């Protein structure tokens, strides 16, 4: 091998962001295989490649024993000491066995191995990059659709948005740019497989972290997220700073911050509510935009009984029970809702159920 080959390997490593030493080690491993294949040897050998000049040396490695039964891989202590008197039993003796025309054979094998190792290293770097970004957002371009799955080009990698992770009714067009949430990164023989989602609550959480500086900086904290993808979401926010309105920070001036997120989620409605350590107040906030007259907490049963104005009952429950259902998911409390008239005519029983979802919208 000549110095030009060595320089080419070094430059290629730098260009691809791969340590040249990794490529040289791969070349040496390949040359061991090439030697055994072309010279019919079952010897244990080591290849030494000078990483400056390209000079090659092949050494047979022999185990020092009392009686050598395998002459290819063993040598007696007596013969070993003829080479160097310092050898002892169980040492390894190296004897140069470099063939005269090995350089030409080596160059052919080395080129193939370097190309292969670069592919493997690039796949490894892509895997590490995205594996470290699990539970994060990525932006990509829709590349193709097969069997209702959407394949998204992320640059050096491809993400898969399966049917189960797609927002119901959302339309995907070729070349559209879209944000998705990384669920899992798997290693495969063809490179990393990146599984993404448009329905995961984490997508909404990360969108707020990107859009709202106060959340990014840790001044406002997202306590909980509840989603019915494509329809409606609720997010509970909190701050220790009395000078910051956590809901206002998320809404933004003229609603610009939350609107940017609504647009990214193709019109999904988002309720931003203030978190409270007081469960009664938290549930009341979570039922927004409905107003609450009173709340009663049944701690042992994890139930919150809520009374709302008569004209607000359907708003509190929501279409097909959606508002009450999302509030329950957000807070972790079962919510039993009645209007003021209902609460007077039919007082709450000892074990309230979930919200009456049969109310008119």
């Amino acid at each position: 091998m000549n110095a030009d080959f060595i320089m080419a390997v070094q430059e290629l490593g730098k260009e691809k962001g791969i340590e040249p030493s990794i490529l040289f080690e791969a070349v040496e491993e390949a040359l061991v295989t090439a030697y055994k294949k072309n010279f019919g040897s079952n010897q244990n050998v080591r290849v030494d490649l000078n990483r400056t000049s390209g000079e090659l040396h092949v050494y047979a490695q022999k185990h020092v024993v009392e009686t050598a039964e395998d002459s290819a891989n063993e040598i007696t202590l007596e013969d070993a000491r003829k080479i160097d008197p310092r050898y002892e039993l169980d040492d390894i003796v190296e004897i140069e066995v470099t063939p005269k025309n090995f350089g030409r054979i080596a160059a052919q094998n080395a080129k193939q191995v370097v190309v292969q190792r670069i592919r493997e290293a690039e796949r490894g770097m892509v895997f590490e990059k995205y594996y470290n970004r699990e539970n994060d957002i990525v932006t990509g371009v829709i590349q193709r659709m097969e069997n209702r799955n959407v394949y998204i080009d992320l640059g050096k990698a491809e993400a898969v948005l399966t049917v189960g992770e797609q927002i119901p009714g959302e339309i995907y067009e070729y070349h559209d740019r879209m944000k998705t949430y990384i669920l899992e990164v798997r290693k495969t023989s063809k490179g990393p497989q990146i599984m993404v989602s448009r329905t995961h609550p984490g997508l909404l959480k990360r969108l707020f972290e990107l859009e709202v500086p106060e959340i990014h900086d840790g001044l406002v904290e997202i306590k909980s997220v509840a989603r019915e993808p494509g329809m409606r979401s609720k997010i509970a926010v909190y701050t220790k700073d009395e000078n910051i309105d956590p809901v206002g920070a998320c809404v933004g001036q003229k609603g610009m911050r939350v609107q940017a997120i609504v647009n990214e989620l193709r019109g999904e409605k988002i309720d931003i509510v203030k978190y409270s350590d007081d469960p009664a107040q938290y549930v009341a906030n979570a039922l927004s935009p409905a107003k609450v007259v009173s709340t009663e907490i049944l701690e042992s049963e994890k139930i919150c009984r809520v009374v709302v104005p008569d004209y607000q009952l359907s708003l509190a429950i929501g279409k097909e029970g959606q508002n009450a259902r999302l509030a329950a998911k957000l807070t972790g409390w079962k919510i039993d809702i009645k209007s003021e008239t209902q609460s007077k005519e039919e007082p709450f029983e000892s074990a309230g159920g979930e919200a009456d979802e049969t109310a008119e919208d």
Side-chain angles (χ1 to χ4, degrees):
M1 288 190 177
N2 55 35
D4 289 341
F5 174 82
I6 299 298
M7 190 175 295
V9 171
Q10 291 173 335
E11 289 299 321
L12 201 53
K14 289 177 184 176
E15 181 185 326
K16 299 290 185 178
I18 303 166
E19 282 292 328
S21 61
I22 294 173
L23 299 180
F24 283 123
E25 286 169 11
V27 169
E28 288 172 350
E29 289 171 15
L31 297 184
V32 169
T33 303
Y35 176 84
K36 290 184 176 183
K37 180 180 177 182
N38 288 278
F39 296 94
S41 173
N42 64 348
Q43 288 177 306
N44 292 323
V45 297
R46 179 179 70 85
V47 172
D48 180 46
L49 172 63
N50 187 300
R51 298 177 187 185
T52 303
S53 66
E55 190 176 343
L56 271 176
H57 294 280
V58 183
Y59 297 96
Q61 296 183 316
K62 298 193 176 189
H63 185 210
V64 179
V65 294
E66 286 283 5
T67 305
E69 295 178 358
D70 177 6
S71 60
N73 294 302
E74 294 178 339
I75 187 172
T76 64
L77 180 60
E78 182 183 349
D79 288 340
R81 285 180 172 171
K82 288 177 183 177
I83 298 169
D84 189 326
R86 293 172 294 180
Y87 280 121
E88 298 290 344
L89 287 172
D90 289 331
D91 283 349
I92 299 295
V93 176
E94 291 196 333
I95 303 169
E96 185 166 0
V97 291
T98 310
K100 289 182 180 179
N101 61 341
F102 190 54
R104 176 180 57 80
I105 296 169
Q108 291 172 350
N109 282 272
K111 183 179 178 182
Q112 295 170 356
V113 169
V114 168
V115 170
Q116 180 62 27
R117 188 54 63 96
I118 284 174
R119 283 201 198 104
E120 291 172 3
E122 285 182 322
R123 286 174 181 171
M125 288 190 294
V126 171
F127 174 82
E128 288 298 327
K129 174 183 176 182
Y130 289 101
Y131 181 76
N132 291 329
R133 291 190 66 186
E134 280 186 356
N135 307 320
D136 198 359
I137 279 181
V138 285
T139 302
V141 177
I142 296 175
Q143 193 173 47
R144 68 184 197 281
M145 284 166 268
E146 292 178 9
N147 300 322
R148 296 173 64 201
N149 293 331
V150 179
Y151 292 83
I152 302 163
D153 181 13
L154 302 180
K156 289 188 176 181
E158 185 178 73
V160 184
L161 180 65
T162 60
V163 176
E165 297 299 334
Q166 296 171 17
I167 294 176
E170 189 169 53
I171 297 170
Y172 303 104
E173 300 283 354
Y174 291 106
H175 306 306
D176 276 2
R177 288 184 68 82
M178 187 170 64
K179 287 183 171 66
T180 55
Y181 181 82
I182 299 179
L183 290 175
E184 183 184 7
V185 182
R186 305 169 184 164
K187 263 187 180 174
T188 72
S189 58
K190 295 182 180 179
Q193 186 179 52
I194 303 165
M195 311 306 293
V196 296
S197 174
R198 288 277 290 171
T199 62
H200 197 283
L203 175 63
L204 185 64
K205 184 173 185 287
R206 290 293 291 119
L207 285 170
F208 270 97
E209 288 170 354
L210 291 173
E211 196 66 38
V212 181
E214 289 87 347
I215 294 177
H216 181 272
D217 295 340
L219 298 173
V220 172
E221 181 183 350
I222 296 173
K223 284 289 190 177
S224 182
V225 176
R227 270 190 90 187
E228 293 195 359
M231 300 293 291
R232 191 170 186 174
S233 295
K234 287 183 182 285
I235 182 167
V237 292
Y238 170 79
T239 182
K240 294 178 180 177
D241 192 331
E242 295 178 358
N243 297 317
I244 295 175
D245 172 12
V247 174
C250 293
V251 171
Q253 190 174 12
K254 297 182 180 179
M256 289 180 66
R257 290 175 178 175
V258 72
Q259 190 58 49
I261 298 169
V262 169
N263 292 343
E264 176 59 42
L265 297 178
R266 315 283 172 93
E268 184 172 310
K269 293 179 181 177
I270 301 172
D271 297 333
I272 305 167
V273 303
K274 190 173 182 180
Y275 172 82
S276 174
D277 289 327
D278 175 8
Q281 184 61 54
Y282 187 23
V283 169
N285 294 348
L287 286 169
S288 174
K291 304 299 180 186
V292 173
V293 173
S294 66
T295 54
E296 180 188 358
I297 292 294
L298 301 181
E299 191 78 46
S300 60
E301 298 167 2
K302 198 72 176 177
I303 293 174
C304 182
R305 294 169 168 176
V306 178
V307 176
V308 298
D310 290 1
Y311 70 95
Q312 293 255 303
L313 181 61
S314 60
L315 182 64
I317 293 171
K319 186 178 181 180
E320 297 179 352
Q322 187 182 67
N323 193 57
R325 189 166 56 248
L326 281 170
K329 285 181 184 176
L330 188 76
T331 61
W333 287 81
K334 289 182 180 180
I335 303 174
D336 191 356
I337 304 175
K338 287 189 176 184
S339 67
E340 288 181 290
T341 300
Q342 288 173 337
S343 67
K344 290 173 184 175
E345 294 176 353
E346 302 174 24
F348 285 108
E349 296 179 2
S350 58
E354 289 189 22
D356 178 5
E357 297 176 4
T358 61
E360 294 180 5
D361 297 323

